[in-house]
Amino acid sequence: MSEKFKDKYRIDSLRASWHDYNADCLYFVTINTARRECYFGEIIKNKVALSSTGHIVNECWREISNKFRFVDLGPYVIMPNHVHGIIKINRDHFVETRFIASHDDNKGISADDFLNFDYHPGGFSGCLNPMINNGLSKVMRWCKGKVTFEIRKIEFGFAWQPGYYERIIRNREEYLRFVKYIKENPSNWIAAP
């Protein structure tokens, strides 16, 4: 049950209260446009044809690992009205080439190379507040803010849905399932009415 804040109901957080989002971990994330409006392109013959705003999203997404040196980017896809991607918070291991996959070529490196980490459920580094430190929330806020700033230069009405969705990836099988989902997302696209 949600508590009232300033005499208004609020929605409880979708984040796992037992997990530290500042700790090294793999995440499958999804961000959606407001009202699921298709700003980023269209699906043609089961492939995404990015619009000019879609190319902005692609550039900003790829910029994440330059802005946040503790982030490795996994496979991702920019769909007409949302983005799916795998993000690895990885403070212990920096690599020269930070992109293991791109929007256009989602082959990526092997799952074993990308999954070189130990997931400890319930383990945390001391701070459960996602607004503090450099964790997933800070990365997603920056990405959405940067995309919004750049797109509004050419499309004033652009907006994201509030927040984002994330799934903690706990093992190799989950990782491979999400990679498959990302790769097949364009061919499974059904445009919203």
Side-chain angles (χ1 to χ4, degrees), residues 138-155:
K138 186 170 186 177
V139 172
M140 297 311 296
R141 274 194 323 273
W142 177 86
C143 181
K144 289 175 69 176
K146 176 76 170 172
V147 167
T148 301
F149 177 78
E150 296 299 332
I151 288 180
R152 284 189 179 167
K153 292 176 183 176
I154 57 174
E155 185 73 46

Side-chain angles (χ1 to χ4, degrees), residues 11-84:
I11 298 171
D12 289 333
S13 173
L14 297 174
R15 308 293 163 247
S17 60
W18 48 266
H19 180 73
D20 179 3
Y21 288 89
N22 298 309
D24 289 359
C25 196
L26 285 169
Y27 301 97
F28 172 75
V29 296
T30 301
I31 50 178
N32 297 301
T33 61
R35 298 170 303 283
R36 306 270 176 145
E37 290 189 43
C38 295
Y39 286 100
F40 305 146
E42 58 184 322
I43 304 297
I44 301 173
K45 296 182 180 179
N46 295 330
K47 294 196 184 287
V48 182
L50 294 179
S51 64
S52 57
T53 53
H55 284 290
I56 290 171
V57 175
N58 191 46
E59 289 172 23
C60 292
W61 188 268
R62 291 177 59 92
E63 197 176 323
I64 290 172
S65 59
N66 291 326
K67 175 75 176 168
F68 300 96
R69 299 298 299 166
F70 58 88
V71 172
D72 293 329
L73 295 176
Y76 67 99
V77 64
I78 299 163
M79 297 294 289
N81 62 9
H82 64 279
V83 178
H84 292 300

Side-chain angles (χ1 to χ4, degrees), residues 85-190:
I86 296 177
I87 290 179
K88 182 178 184 182
I89 305 293
N90 189 19
R91 288 180 176 79
D92 293 334
H93 175 69
F94 296 116
V95 291
E96 178 93 14
T97 304
R98 314 236 357 125
F99 300 106
I100 61 169
S102 71
H103 172 78
D104 298 324
D105 177 16
N106 269 325
K107 294 177 193 164
I109 63 171
S110 76
D112 292 331
D113 289 340
F114 191 61
L115 289 171
N116 185 20
F117 81 108
D118 293 320
Y119 175 75
H120 301 286
F124 58 91
S125 62
C127 178
L128 292 176
N129 184 344
M131 303 300 280
I132 298 174
N133 296 330
N134 287 323
L136 184 63
S137 290
K138 186 170 186 177
V139 172
M140 297 311 296
R141 274 194 323 273
W142 177 86
C143 181
K144 289 175 69 176
K146 176 76 170 172
V147 167
T148 301
F149 177 78
E150 296 299 332
I151 288 180
R152 284 189 179 167
K153 292 176 183 176
I154 57 174
E155 185 73 46
F156 182 74
F158 174 78
W160 291 107
Q161 226 178 49
Y164 62 93
Y165 302 95
E166 112 290 317
R167 167 79 183 187
I168 300 163
I169 300 175
R170 296 180 174 96
N171 56 47
R172 185 178 198 277
E173 291 73 30
E174 284 187 6
Y175 171 78
L176 294 174
R177 184 168 42 101
F178 286 122
V179 169
K180 183 176 189 281
Y181 182 84
I182 287 168
K183 288 180 180 179
E184 293 176 355
N185 208 233
S187 60
N188 294 327
W189 171 256
I190 299 173

